[in-house]
Amino acid sequence: MMRSSRASLRGATLCAAVIASGAIAPAAATAQSNLSTQGFGYPTGQFSARALGAGGALGEMDPLSTVNPASIAILGARTIFFQIQPEYRTVTTAAGSERTSTARYPIVFGAIPVGTNWVFSLGSSTLLDRTSSTSFRTTQFLAGGDSVPINTKFGIDGAMNDVRFAVGWMPVAWLHLGLGAHAITGRNLITVTQAFDDSTRFSTFSQQRTLGFLGSAVSGGFELVSKKVIASASGRIGGSLRLSASDTVLTKANVPDRYGASVSYIGFTNSTISVRTSHDSWSSLGSLGSAGLKGIDAWDSSIGADVAGPKFADRILFFRGGFRTRTLPFLAAGDTVKEKSFSGGLGTTFAGGHVLGDLAVIRASRSAGISASEHAWTVSIGLTVRP
């Protein structure tokens, strides 16, 4: 009974330490399931499947991407959009390779025109996805010279979401303006489980805790449209962000500021070639976690194209491709994680133009200054309905 109690006490102390940190940042690459979801999670970019097919380069001018509120001004009909985005990762270290997968639903969006110049929208998108797990083995030494091997597993299931209410206005054909109000919500369900090899004398220890996020932000943007070029820019100013457990506020920080801009060439019929860059101040999240959890301010740049192809059954088939490079917002074992990705996609309309389907496939490579690398395939499927 004494040995079991000591082992359980050690597990309880470990769980408390993990929960107090607010997030898990493993010290060894061999103990982590991936490089991309360290800190408070992986930034999906808040891009639609169409924008992702072009490497994210269309994000500032794409009304289905919840980035620039001015972009919704072009929507001339009621619109409902839903997106599913599974990712399949492989992490390679000196110890071998590990495969994991994550199913994401990054954007749900609806918009309705009001009058001839106004559009209102409400949508929810994933700001940071924190679904991952980590496991490793240790040995607990007990009084009397005995020892027992332990398998410890950390798991987090959750995300930080951005719920945006936006208004788009088109005062003249060449100028689009937009404003957005954001509620930053979500939760992380943290689970710590310790299983002992000697299960006859030591019972499995498990503990869970739910951490919730609540914050606010405002955004604005514009688009300048000519016959051949669209110049777009947007920004988000973050308000306060609270991390709480039940009704207890554990700590406070700020929602990250963001600003971005793009230039798109539209001189070809039904086609767009675009370049985009943006900056996120992820370091403002650092105070939500432990002293060792440091957010990294990051640039996100891409180039891509959306080109009209041949007609298929009286429908235009659009082909997309792009390249994207960026820094992920948190460290992996103390090192910055870089991501480079190539993407391709296609899209077309159905049901007399009332339904639009988009498909994007992304191949991403992630690396840090450690002996580990990560490669991922992501499939993004978007469905737009215009009743």
Side-chain angles (χ1 to χ4, degrees), residues 64 75-81 109-113 120 122 384-387:
L64 303 178
L75 294 174
R78 291 173 295 169
T79 302
I80 300 173
F81 175 72
F109 171 88
I112 183 169
F120 294 83
L122 180 64
T384 306
V385 179
R386 296 169 180 169

Side-chain angles (χ1 to χ4, degrees), residues 1-22:
M1 291 297 293
M2 182 179 295
R3 293 176 181 173
S4 180
S5 297
R6 287 180 178 176
S8 296
L9 179 60
R10 176 185 178 276
T13 303
L14 178 61
C15 185
V18 171
I19 291 173
S21 71

